[in-house]
Amino acid sequence: MTNTHDLIDKLAAAAVEHQPVAANADELAAVVKHGTEARLYVWNRHYATRAERVRLDQNLAQSSPEFQVAVKATERVLADELAADNERRARVHAENPDYFKEY
């Protein structure tokens, strides 16, 4: 079942950012079907520890090809946001090293 609200959110964000949501029809179908789960996976991996990333990557490797396509499309659409978040976290870490555990 398609989550219409997530699809609308993704299409609106892509239109505003002038980025295509999908490169082709198969990718679009995967994003529509797995968009919410793919976005959750991408953000979980972004904030995961090294051990959690290994586990998430193993789970992704065992998932359906359609879900893997949705994850790749989501990573592409969120690339700028993920990069900006990395820069922000690096700045905050440099300014406040005592707030962070090294892992």
PDB file of all heavy atoms in Angstrom, residues 10 17 19-21 27 31 35 37-46 53 56-57 60 67-83:
ATOM      1  N   LYS A  10       8.036  13.593  -0.564  1.00  0.00           N
ATOM      2  CA  LYS A  10       9.234  13.365  -1.371  1.00  0.00           C
ATOM      3  C   LYS A  10       9.173  14.131  -2.697  1.00  0.00           C
ATOM      4  O   LYS A  10      10.153  14.733  -3.119  1.00  0.00           O
ATOM      5  CB  LYS A  10       9.437  11.879  -1.627  1.00  0.00           C
ATOM      6  CG  LYS A  10       9.880  11.123  -0.407  1.00  0.00           C
ATOM      7  CD  LYS A  10      10.171   9.688  -0.760  1.00  0.00           C
ATOM      8  CE  LYS A  10      10.542   8.904   0.467  1.00  0.00           C
ATOM      9  NZ  LYS A  10      11.602   9.486   1.256  1.00  0.00           N
ATOM     10  N   GLU A  17      13.950  21.285  -4.474  1.00  0.00           N
ATOM     11  CA  GLU A  17      15.402  21.170  -4.605  1.00  0.00           C
ATOM     12  C   GLU A  17      15.842  20.956  -6.052  1.00  0.00           C
ATOM     13  O   GLU A  17      17.028  20.847  -6.332  1.00  0.00           O
ATOM     14  CB  GLU A  17      15.903  20.012  -3.753  1.00  0.00           C
ATOM     15  CG  GLU A  17      15.647  20.217  -2.276  1.00  0.00           C
ATOM     16  CD  GLU A  17      15.944  18.967  -1.459  1.00  0.00           C
ATOM     17  OE1 GLU A  17      16.468  17.998  -2.014  1.00  0.00           O
ATOM     18  OE2 GLU A  17      15.623  18.987  -0.281  1.00  0.00           O
ATOM     19  N   GLN A  19      15.623  18.344  -7.795  1.00  0.00           N
ATOM     20  CA  GLN A  19      16.253  17.041  -7.938  1.00  0.00           C
ATOM     21  C   GLN A  19      15.172  16.018  -8.256  1.00  0.00           C
ATOM     22  O   GLN A  19      14.118  16.020  -7.639  1.00  0.00           O
ATOM     23  CB  GLN A  19      16.928  16.607  -6.629  1.00  0.00           C
ATOM     24  CG  GLN A  19      18.086  17.472  -6.227  1.00  0.00           C
ATOM     25  CD  GLN A  19      18.676  16.979  -4.916  1.00  0.00           C
ATOM     26  OE1 GLN A  19      18.167  16.050  -4.304  1.00  0.00           O
ATOM     27  NE2 GLN A  19      19.734  17.617  -4.497  1.00  0.00           N
ATOM     28  N   PRO A  20      15.439  15.157  -9.200  1.00  0.00           N
ATOM     29  CA  PRO A  20      14.449  14.117  -9.473  1.00  0.00           C
ATOM     30  C   PRO A  20      14.389  13.114  -8.329  1.00  0.00           C
ATOM     31  O   PRO A  20      15.402  12.791  -7.732  1.00  0.00           O
ATOM     32  CB  PRO A  20      14.963  13.457 -10.748  1.00  0.00           C
ATOM     33  CG  PRO A  20      16.427  13.725 -10.740  1.00  0.00           C
ATOM     34  CD  PRO A  20      16.608  15.054 -10.041  1.00  0.00           C
ATOM     35  N   VAL A  21      13.200  12.659  -7.997  1.00  0.00           N
ATOM     36  CA  VAL A  21      13.036  11.649  -6.962  1.00  0.00           C
ATOM     37  C   VAL A  21      13.565  10.321  -7.478  1.00  0.00           C
ATOM     38  O   VAL A  21      14.183   9.562  -6.744  1.00  0.00           O
ATOM     39  CB  VAL A  21      11.552  11.507  -6.561  1.00  0.00           C
ATOM     40  CG1 VAL A  21      11.329  10.308  -5.681  1.00  0.00           C
ATOM     41  CG2 VAL A  21      11.085  12.763  -5.868  1.00  0.00           C
ATOM     42  N   GLU A  27      12.790   2.736 -10.208  1.00  0.00           N
ATOM     43  CA  GLU A  27      13.234   3.441  -9.008  1.00  0.00           C
ATOM     44  C   GLU A  27      12.067   4.169  -8.364  1.00  0.00           C
ATOM     45  O   GLU A  27      11.909   4.147  -7.147  1.00  0.00           O
ATOM     46  CB  GLU A  27      14.356   4.412  -9.361  1.00  0.00           C
ATOM     47  CG  GLU A  27      15.087   4.940  -8.153  1.00  0.00           C
ATOM     48  CD  GLU A  27      16.283   5.785  -8.549  1.00  0.00           C
ATOM     49  OE1 GLU A  27      16.088   6.993  -8.766  1.00  0.00           O
ATOM     50  OE2 GLU A  27      17.402   5.237  -8.630  1.00  0.00           O
ATOM     51  N   VAL A  31      10.640   3.639  -4.571  1.00  0.00           N
ATOM     52  CA  VAL A  31      10.525   4.735  -3.597  1.00  0.00           C
ATOM     53  C   VAL A  31       9.096   4.846  -3.093  1.00  0.00           C
ATOM     54  O   VAL A  31       8.864   5.049  -1.900  1.00  0.00           O
ATOM     55  CB  VAL A  31      11.006   6.068  -4.213  1.00  0.00           C
ATOM     56  CG1 VAL A  31      10.654   7.242  -3.315  1.00  0.00           C
ATOM     57  CG2 VAL A  31      12.503   6.029  -4.461  1.00  0.00           C
ATOM     58  N   GLY A  35       9.425   3.997   0.527  1.00  0.00           N
ATOM     59  CA  GLY A  35       9.975   5.310   0.848  1.00  0.00           C
ATOM     60  C   GLY A  35      10.187   5.562   2.327  1.00  0.00           C
ATOM     61  O   GLY A  35      11.258   6.009   2.745  1.00  0.00           O
ATOM     62  N   GLU A  37      10.373   3.391   4.897  1.00  0.00           N
ATOM     63  CA  GLU A  37      11.363   2.483   5.469  1.00  0.00           C
ATOM     64  C   GLU A  37      12.771   2.826   4.978  1.00  0.00           C
ATOM     65  O   GLU A  37      13.736   2.747   5.741  1.00  0.00           O
ATOM     66  CB  GLU A  37      11.035   1.028   5.123  1.00  0.00           C
ATOM     67  CG  GLU A  37       9.745   0.522   5.733  1.00  0.00           C
ATOM     68  CD  GLU A  37       8.524   0.840   4.874  1.00  0.00           C
ATOM     69  OE1 GLU A  37       8.677   1.395   3.763  1.00  0.00           O
ATOM     70  OE2 GLU A  37       7.415   0.549   5.331  1.00  0.00           O
ATOM     71  N   ALA A  38      12.903   3.208   3.720  1.00  0.00           N
ATOM     72  CA  ALA A  38      14.213   3.563   3.169  1.00  0.00           C
ATOM     73  C   ALA A  38      14.746   4.824   3.846  1.00  0.00           C
ATOM     74  O   ALA A  38      15.932   4.896   4.188  1.00  0.00           O
ATOM     75  CB  ALA A  38      14.118   3.763   1.659  1.00  0.00           C
ATOM     76  N   ARG A  39      13.881   5.797   4.033  1.00  0.00           N
ATOM     77  CA  ARG A  39      14.316   7.032   4.712  1.00  0.00           C
ATOM     78  C   ARG A  39      14.745   6.735   6.142  1.00  0.00           C
ATOM     79  O   ARG A  39      15.761   7.241   6.607  1.00  0.00           O
ATOM     80  CB  ARG A  39      13.206   8.075   4.663  1.00  0.00           C
ATOM     81  CG  ARG A  39      13.676   9.450   5.074  1.00  0.00           C
ATOM     82  CD  ARG A  39      12.731  10.507   4.613  1.00  0.00           C
ATOM     83  NE  ARG A  39      11.620  10.609   5.527  1.00  0.00           N
ATOM     84  CZ  ARG A  39      10.539  11.323   5.302  1.00  0.00           C
ATOM     85  NH1 ARG A  39      10.407  11.966   4.169  1.00  0.00           N
ATOM     86  NH2 ARG A  39       9.592  11.393   6.178  1.00  0.00           N
ATOM     87  N   LEU A  40      14.005   5.898   6.831  1.00  0.00           N
ATOM     88  CA  LEU A  40      14.359   5.506   8.192  1.00  0.00           C
ATOM     89  C   LEU A  40      15.701   4.779   8.196  1.00  0.00           C
ATOM     90  O   LEU A  40      16.574   5.052   9.040  1.00  0.00           O
ATOM     91  CB  LEU A  40      13.266   4.617   8.785  1.00  0.00           C
ATOM     92  CG  LEU A  40      13.491   4.127  10.207  1.00  0.00           C
ATOM     93  CD1 LEU A  40      13.560   5.298  11.180  1.00  0.00           C
ATOM     94  CD2 LEU A  40      12.373   3.186  10.615  1.00  0.00           C
ATOM     95  N   TYR A  41      15.909   3.874   7.252  1.00  0.00           N
ATOM     96  CA  TYR A  41      17.177   3.151   7.149  1.00  0.00           C
ATOM     97  C   TYR A  41      18.335   4.133   6.949  1.00  0.00           C
ATOM     98  O   TYR A  41      19.365   4.041   7.621  1.00  0.00           O
ATOM     99  CB  TYR A  41      17.147   2.141   5.998  1.00  0.00           C
ATOM    100  CG  TYR A  41      18.496   1.499   5.765  1.00  0.00           C
ATOM    101  CD1 TYR A  41      18.863   0.363   6.463  1.00  0.00           C
ATOM    102  CD2 TYR A  41      19.403   2.077   4.886  1.00  0.00           C
ATOM    103  CE1 TYR A  41      20.123  -0.198   6.271  1.00  0.00           C
ATOM    104  CE2 TYR A  41      20.662   1.526   4.693  1.00  0.00           C
ATOM    105  CZ  TYR A  41      21.016   0.389   5.394  1.00  0.00           C
ATOM    106  OH  TYR A  41      22.268  -0.145   5.219  1.00  0.00           O
ATOM    107  N   VAL A  42      18.175   5.076   6.025  1.00  0.00           N
ATOM    108  CA  VAL A  42      19.247   6.023   5.715  1.00  0.00           C
ATOM    109  C   VAL A  42      19.609   6.852   6.940  1.00  0.00           C
ATOM    110  O   VAL A  42      20.792   7.022   7.268  1.00  0.00           O
ATOM    111  CB  VAL A  42      18.862   6.920   4.516  1.00  0.00           C
ATOM    112  CG1 VAL A  42      19.840   8.070   4.346  1.00  0.00           C
ATOM    113  CG2 VAL A  42      18.795   6.087   3.243  1.00  0.00           C
ATOM    114  N   TRP A  43      18.623   7.366   7.636  1.00  0.00           N
ATOM    115  CA  TRP A  43      18.907   8.177   8.828  1.00  0.00           C
ATOM    116  C   TRP A  43      19.455   7.324   9.962  1.00  0.00           C
ATOM    117  O   TRP A  43      20.359   7.770  10.691  1.00  0.00           O
ATOM    118  CB  TRP A  43      17.683   8.970   9.267  1.00  0.00           C
ATOM    119  CG  TRP A  43      17.498  10.180   8.406  1.00  0.00           C
ATOM    120  CD1 TRP A  43      16.530  10.377   7.467  1.00  0.00           C
ATOM    121  CD2 TRP A  43      18.329  11.345   8.364  1.00  0.00           C
ATOM    122  NE1 TRP A  43      16.708  11.593   6.850  1.00  0.00           N
ATOM    123  CE2 TRP A  43      17.800  12.209   7.383  1.00  0.00           C
ATOM    124  CE3 TRP A  43      19.467  11.738   9.051  1.00  0.00           C
ATOM    125  CZ2 TRP A  43      18.373  13.452   7.091  1.00  0.00           C
ATOM    126  CZ3 TRP A  43      20.028  12.972   8.756  1.00  0.00           C
ATOM    127  CH2 TRP A  43      19.483  13.810   7.786  1.00  0.00           C
ATOM    128  N   ASN A  44      18.961   6.101  10.151  1.00  0.00           N
ATOM    129  CA  ASN A  44      19.522   5.212  11.177  1.00  0.00           C
ATOM    130  C   ASN A  44      20.988   4.928  10.895  1.00  0.00           C
ATOM    131  O   ASN A  44      21.826   4.956  11.797  1.00  0.00           O
ATOM    132  CB  ASN A  44      18.748   3.892  11.254  1.00  0.00           C
ATOM    133  CG  ASN A  44      17.450   4.024  11.996  1.00  0.00           C
ATOM    134  OD1 ASN A  44      17.213   4.989  12.725  1.00  0.00           O
ATOM    135  ND2 ASN A  44      16.575   3.049  11.822  1.00  0.00           N
ATOM    136  N   ARG A  45      21.311   4.669   9.641  1.00  0.00           N
ATOM    137  CA  ARG A  45      22.703   4.394   9.282  1.00  0.00           C
ATOM    138  C   ARG A  45      23.566   5.636   9.468  1.00  0.00           C
ATOM    139  O   ARG A  45      24.715   5.550   9.895  1.00  0.00           O
ATOM    140  CB  ARG A  45      22.803   3.892   7.844  1.00  0.00           C
ATOM    141  CG  ARG A  45      24.190   3.368   7.529  1.00  0.00           C
ATOM    142  CD  ARG A  45      24.296   2.775   6.148  1.00  0.00           C
ATOM    143  NE  ARG A  45      25.566   2.125   5.958  1.00  0.00           N
ATOM    144  CZ  ARG A  45      26.742   2.759   5.912  1.00  0.00           C
ATOM    145  NH1 ARG A  45      26.810   4.059   6.051  1.00  0.00           N
ATOM    146  NH2 ARG A  45      27.869   2.078   5.741  1.00  0.00           N
ATOM    147  N   HIS A  46      23.012   6.782   9.176  1.00  0.00           N
ATOM    148  CA  HIS A  46      23.749   8.043   9.315  1.00  0.00           C
ATOM    149  C   HIS A  46      24.205   8.264  10.755  1.00  0.00           C
ATOM    150  O   HIS A  46      25.320   8.713  11.002  1.00  0.00           O
ATOM    151  CB  HIS A  46      22.858   9.195   8.839  1.00  0.00           C
ATOM    152  CG  HIS A  46      23.499  10.545   8.925  1.00  0.00           C
ATOM    153  ND1 HIS A  46      24.521  10.927   8.086  1.00  0.00           N
ATOM    154  CD2 HIS A  46      23.265  11.592   9.747  1.00  0.00           C
ATOM    155  CE1 HIS A  46      24.881  12.165   8.388  1.00  0.00           C
ATOM    156  NE2 HIS A  46      24.137  12.585   9.394  1.00  0.00           N
ATOM    157  N   ARG A  53      26.384   0.055  11.887  1.00  0.00           N
ATOM    158  CA  ARG A  53      26.443   0.189  10.422  1.00  0.00           C
ATOM    159  C   ARG A  53      26.694  -1.159   9.755  1.00  0.00           C
ATOM    160  O   ARG A  53      26.098  -1.472   8.726  1.00  0.00           O
ATOM    161  CB  ARG A  53      27.525   1.181  10.013  1.00  0.00           C
ATOM    162  CG  ARG A  53      27.113   2.600  10.195  1.00  0.00           C
ATOM    163  CD  ARG A  53      28.117   3.554   9.578  1.00  0.00           C
ATOM    164  NE  ARG A  53      27.703   4.901   9.906  1.00  0.00           N
ATOM    165  CZ  ARG A  53      28.502   5.840  10.379  1.00  0.00           C
ATOM    166  NH1 ARG A  53      29.786   5.582  10.551  1.00  0.00           N
ATOM    167  NH2 ARG A  53      28.039   7.029  10.657  1.00  0.00           N
ATOM    168  N   LEU A  56      23.430  -2.987   9.924  1.00  0.00           N
ATOM    169  CA  LEU A  56      22.481  -2.416   8.968  1.00  0.00           C
ATOM    170  C   LEU A  56      22.851  -2.771   7.535  1.00  0.00           C
ATOM    171  O   LEU A  56      21.978  -3.077   6.717  1.00  0.00           O
ATOM    172  CB  LEU A  56      22.406  -0.895   9.136  1.00  0.00           C
ATOM    173  CG  LEU A  56      21.685  -0.400  10.387  1.00  0.00           C
ATOM    174  CD1 LEU A  56      21.930   1.093  10.595  1.00  0.00           C
ATOM    175  CD2 LEU A  56      20.200  -0.691  10.297  1.00  0.00           C
ATOM    176  N   ASP A  57      24.144  -2.739   7.219  1.00  0.00           N
ATOM    177  CA  ASP A  57      24.591  -3.100   5.872  1.00  0.00           C
ATOM    178  C   ASP A  57      24.307  -4.566   5.563  1.00  0.00           C
ATOM    179  O   ASP A  57      23.932  -4.913   4.435  1.00  0.00           O
ATOM    180  CB  ASP A  57      26.079  -2.796   5.695  1.00  0.00           C
ATOM    181  CG  ASP A  57      26.360  -1.300   5.623  1.00  0.00           C
ATOM    182  OD1 ASP A  57      25.403  -0.519   5.410  1.00  0.00           O
ATOM    183  OD2 ASP A  57      27.530  -0.922   5.794  1.00  0.00           O
ATOM    184  N   LEU A  60      20.648  -4.787   4.865  1.00  0.00           N
ATOM    185  CA  LEU A  60      20.358  -4.252   3.538  1.00  0.00           C
ATOM    186  C   LEU A  60      20.737  -5.258   2.450  1.00  0.00           C
ATOM    187  O   LEU A  60      19.988  -5.447   1.491  1.00  0.00           O
ATOM    188  CB  LEU A  60      21.088  -2.926   3.317  1.00  0.00           C
ATOM    189  CG  LEU A  60      20.836  -2.246   1.986  1.00  0.00           C
ATOM    190  CD1 LEU A  60      19.360  -1.879   1.826  1.00  0.00           C
ATOM    191  CD2 LEU A  60      21.716  -1.017   1.842  1.00  0.00           C
ATOM    192  N   PHE A  67      13.905  -2.808  -2.261  1.00  0.00           N
ATOM    193  CA  PHE A  67      14.229  -1.981  -1.093  1.00  0.00           C
ATOM    194  C   PHE A  67      15.618  -1.367  -1.253  1.00  0.00           C
ATOM    195  O   PHE A  67      15.830  -0.197  -0.920  1.00  0.00           O
ATOM    196  CB  PHE A  67      14.155  -2.808   0.201  1.00  0.00           C
ATOM    197  CG  PHE A  67      14.456  -1.996   1.433  1.00  0.00           C
ATOM    198  CD1 PHE A  67      13.535  -1.075   1.914  1.00  0.00           C
ATOM    199  CD2 PHE A  67      15.663  -2.141   2.099  1.00  0.00           C
ATOM    200  CE1 PHE A  67      13.809  -0.318   3.039  1.00  0.00           C
ATOM    201  CE2 PHE A  67      15.945  -1.386   3.215  1.00  0.00           C
ATOM    202  CZ  PHE A  67      15.013  -0.474   3.702  1.00  0.00           C
ATOM    203  N   GLN A  68      16.566  -2.117  -1.784  1.00  0.00           N
ATOM    204  CA  GLN A  68      17.917  -1.592  -2.003  1.00  0.00           C
ATOM    205  C   GLN A  68      17.889  -0.415  -2.976  1.00  0.00           C
ATOM    206  O   GLN A  68      18.587   0.580  -2.774  1.00  0.00           O
ATOM    207  CB  GLN A  68      18.836  -2.701  -2.511  1.00  0.00           C
ATOM    208  CG  GLN A  68      19.099  -3.771  -1.468  1.00  0.00           C
ATOM    209  CD  GLN A  68      19.924  -4.920  -2.002  1.00  0.00           C
ATOM    210  OE1 GLN A  68      20.583  -4.818  -3.035  1.00  0.00           O
ATOM    211  NE2 GLN A  68      19.899  -6.041  -1.294  1.00  0.00           N
ATOM    212  N   VAL A  69      17.064  -0.511  -4.008  1.00  0.00           N
ATOM    213  CA  VAL A  69      16.917   0.592  -4.965  1.00  0.00           C
ATOM    214  C   VAL A  69      16.331   1.814  -4.262  1.00  0.00           C
ATOM    215  O   VAL A  69      16.786   2.942  -4.469  1.00  0.00           O
ATOM    216  CB  VAL A  69      16.039   0.159  -6.165  1.00  0.00           C
ATOM    217  CG1 VAL A  69      15.618   1.349  -7.005  1.00  0.00           C
ATOM    218  CG2 VAL A  69      16.773  -0.864  -7.007  1.00  0.00           C
ATOM    219  N   ALA A  70      15.335   1.600  -3.406  1.00  0.00           N
ATOM    220  CA  ALA A  70      14.715   2.708  -2.678  1.00  0.00           C
ATOM    221  C   ALA A  70      15.719   3.373  -1.750  1.00  0.00           C
ATOM    222  O   ALA A  70      15.737   4.609  -1.624  1.00  0.00           O
ATOM    223  CB  ALA A  70      13.506   2.209  -1.888  1.00  0.00           C
ATOM    224  N   VAL A  71      16.580   2.591  -1.109  1.00  0.00           N
ATOM    225  CA  VAL A  71      17.603   3.154  -0.220  1.00  0.00           C
ATOM    226  C   VAL A  71      18.584   4.010  -1.026  1.00  0.00           C
ATOM    227  O   VAL A  71      18.921   5.124  -0.626  1.00  0.00           O
ATOM    228  CB  VAL A  71      18.337   2.041   0.568  1.00  0.00           C
ATOM    229  CG1 VAL A  71      19.596   2.577   1.238  1.00  0.00           C
ATOM    230  CG2 VAL A  71      17.404   1.432   1.602  1.00  0.00           C
ATOM    231  N   LYS A  72      19.032   3.501  -2.150  1.00  0.00           N
ATOM    232  CA  LYS A  72      19.974   4.268  -2.991  1.00  0.00           C
ATOM    233  C   LYS A  72      19.343   5.578  -3.470  1.00  0.00           C
ATOM    234  O   LYS A  72      19.981   6.631  -3.463  1.00  0.00           O
ATOM    235  CB  LYS A  72      20.434   3.436  -4.195  1.00  0.00           C
ATOM    236  CG  LYS A  72      21.310   2.289  -3.824  1.00  0.00           C
ATOM    237  CD  LYS A  72      22.618   2.766  -3.243  1.00  0.00           C
ATOM    238  CE  LYS A  72      23.493   1.585  -2.887  1.00  0.00           C
ATOM    239  NZ  LYS A  72      24.580   1.941  -1.996  1.00  0.00           N
ATOM    240  N   ALA A  73      18.083   5.521  -3.886  1.00  0.00           N
ATOM    241  CA  ALA A  73      17.400   6.742  -4.331  1.00  0.00           C
ATOM    242  C   ALA A  73      17.255   7.728  -3.180  1.00  0.00           C
ATOM    243  O   ALA A  73      17.450   8.936  -3.351  1.00  0.00           O
ATOM    244  CB  ALA A  73      16.028   6.391  -4.910  1.00  0.00           C
ATOM    245  N   THR A  74      16.926   7.225  -2.001  1.00  0.00           N
ATOM    246  CA  THR A  74      16.766   8.085  -0.831  1.00  0.00           C
ATOM    247  C   THR A  74      18.095   8.710  -0.455  1.00  0.00           C
ATOM    248  O   THR A  74      18.155   9.904  -0.132  1.00  0.00           O
ATOM    249  CB  THR A  74      16.194   7.269   0.352  1.00  0.00           C
ATOM    250  OG1 THR A  74      14.952   6.706  -0.055  1.00  0.00           O
ATOM    251  CG2 THR A  74      15.981   8.138   1.567  1.00  0.00           C
ATOM    252  N   GLU A  75      19.170   7.943  -0.492  1.00  0.00           N
ATOM    253  CA  GLU A  75      20.496   8.487  -0.197  1.00  0.00           C
ATOM    254  C   GLU A  75      20.851   9.598  -1.177  1.00  0.00           C
ATOM    255  O   GLU A  75      21.426  10.617  -0.782  1.00  0.00           O
ATOM    256  CB  GLU A  75      21.555   7.385  -0.255  1.00  0.00           C
ATOM    257  CG  GLU A  75      21.511   6.439   0.912  1.00  0.00           C
ATOM    258  CD  GLU A  75      22.454   5.252   0.762  1.00  0.00           C
ATOM    259  OE1 GLU A  75      22.811   4.892  -0.389  1.00  0.00           O
ATOM    260  OE2 GLU A  75      22.806   4.671   1.793  1.00  0.00           O
ATOM    261  N   ARG A  76      20.509   9.402  -2.447  1.00  0.00           N
ATOM    262  CA  ARG A  76      20.814  10.420  -3.452  1.00  0.00           C
ATOM    263  C   ARG A  76      20.028  11.701  -3.186  1.00  0.00           C
ATOM    264  O   ARG A  76      20.580  12.809  -3.221  1.00  0.00           O
ATOM    265  CB  ARG A  76      20.513   9.886  -4.858  1.00  0.00           C
ATOM    266  CG  ARG A  76      21.057  10.786  -5.964  1.00  0.00           C
ATOM    267  CD  ARG A  76      20.694  10.312  -7.354  1.00  0.00           C
ATOM    268  NE  ARG A  76      19.271  10.503  -7.592  1.00  0.00           N
ATOM    269  CZ  ARG A  76      18.378   9.527  -7.716  1.00  0.00           C
ATOM    270  NH1 ARG A  76      18.748   8.276  -7.632  1.00  0.00           N
ATOM    271  NH2 ARG A  76      17.116   9.789  -7.922  1.00  0.00           N
ATOM    272  N   VAL A  77      18.735  11.563  -2.878  1.00  0.00           N
ATOM    273  CA  VAL A  77      17.887  12.732  -2.637  1.00  0.00           C
ATOM    274  C   VAL A  77      18.321  13.458  -1.363  1.00  0.00           C
ATOM    275  O   VAL A  77      18.291  14.683  -1.304  1.00  0.00           O
ATOM    276  CB  VAL A  77      16.400  12.323  -2.569  1.00  0.00           C
ATOM    277  CG1 VAL A  77      15.535  13.462  -2.094  1.00  0.00           C
ATOM    278  CG2 VAL A  77      15.931  11.830  -3.930  1.00  0.00           C
ATOM    279  N   LEU A  78      18.755  12.703  -0.345  1.00  0.00           N
ATOM    280  CA  LEU A  78      19.130  13.302   0.937  1.00  0.00           C
ATOM    281  C   LEU A  78      20.622  13.636   1.036  1.00  0.00           C
ATOM    282  O   LEU A  78      21.081  14.050   2.099  1.00  0.00           O
ATOM    283  CB  LEU A  78      18.754  12.362   2.082  1.00  0.00           C
ATOM    284  CG  LEU A  78      17.271  12.111   2.304  1.00  0.00           C
ATOM    285  CD1 LEU A  78      17.063  11.111   3.432  1.00  0.00           C
ATOM    286  CD2 LEU A  78      16.545  13.413   2.612  1.00  0.00           C
ATOM    287  N   ALA A  79      21.383  13.476  -0.030  1.00  0.00           N
ATOM    288  CA  ALA A  79      22.832  13.646   0.019  1.00  0.00           C
ATOM    289  C   ALA A  79      23.239  15.005   0.579  1.00  0.00           C
ATOM    290  O   ALA A  79      24.118  15.089   1.447  1.00  0.00           O
ATOM    291  CB  ALA A  79      23.437  13.435  -1.369  1.00  0.00           C
ATOM    292  N   ASP A  80      22.643  16.075   0.108  1.00  0.00           N
ATOM    293  CA  ASP A  80      23.001  17.408   0.593  1.00  0.00           C
ATOM    294  C   ASP A  80      22.652  17.576   2.070  1.00  0.00           C
ATOM    295  O   ASP A  80      23.426  18.150   2.846  1.00  0.00           O
ATOM    296  CB  ASP A  80      22.303  18.495  -0.223  1.00  0.00           C
ATOM    297  CG  ASP A  80      22.827  18.578  -1.643  1.00  0.00           C
ATOM    298  OD1 ASP A  80      23.954  18.092  -1.891  1.00  0.00           O
ATOM    299  OD2 ASP A  80      22.111  19.119  -2.501  1.00  0.00           O
ATOM    300  N   GLU A  81      21.497  17.071   2.466  1.00  0.00           N
ATOM    301  CA  GLU A  81      21.077  17.177   3.857  1.00  0.00           C
ATOM    302  C   GLU A  81      21.991  16.357   4.774  1.00  0.00           C
ATOM    303  O   GLU A  81      22.363  16.808   5.861  1.00  0.00           O
ATOM    304  CB  GLU A  81      19.630  16.704   3.997  1.00  0.00           C
ATOM    305  CG  GLU A  81      19.016  16.996   5.337  1.00  0.00           C
ATOM    306  CD  GLU A  81      17.534  16.662   5.380  1.00  0.00           C
ATOM    307  OE1 GLU A  81      16.901  16.491   4.317  1.00  0.00           O
ATOM    308  OE2 GLU A  81      17.011  16.571   6.502  1.00  0.00           O
ATOM    309  N   LEU A  82      22.374  15.165   4.347  1.00  0.00           N
ATOM    310  CA  LEU A  82      23.283  14.333   5.128  1.00  0.00           C
ATOM    311  C   LEU A  82      24.654  14.991   5.246  1.00  0.00           C
ATOM    312  O   LEU A  82      25.258  14.993   6.318  1.00  0.00           O
ATOM    313  CB  LEU A  82      23.409  12.946   4.498  1.00  0.00           C
ATOM    314  CG  LEU A  82      22.155  12.079   4.497  1.00  0.00           C
ATOM    315  CD1 LEU A  82      22.350  10.863   3.604  1.00  0.00           C
ATOM    316  CD2 LEU A  82      21.776  11.664   5.897  1.00  0.00           C
ATOM    317  N   ALA A  83      25.147  15.565   4.154  1.00  0.00           N
ATOM    318  CA  ALA A  83      26.445  16.239   4.176  1.00  0.00           C
ATOM    319  C   ALA A  83      26.406  17.458   5.094  1.00  0.00           C
ATOM    320  O   ALA A  83      27.339  17.691   5.873  1.00  0.00           O
ATOM    321  CB  ALA A  83      26.850  16.651   2.762  1.00  0.00           C
TER     322      ALA A  83
END
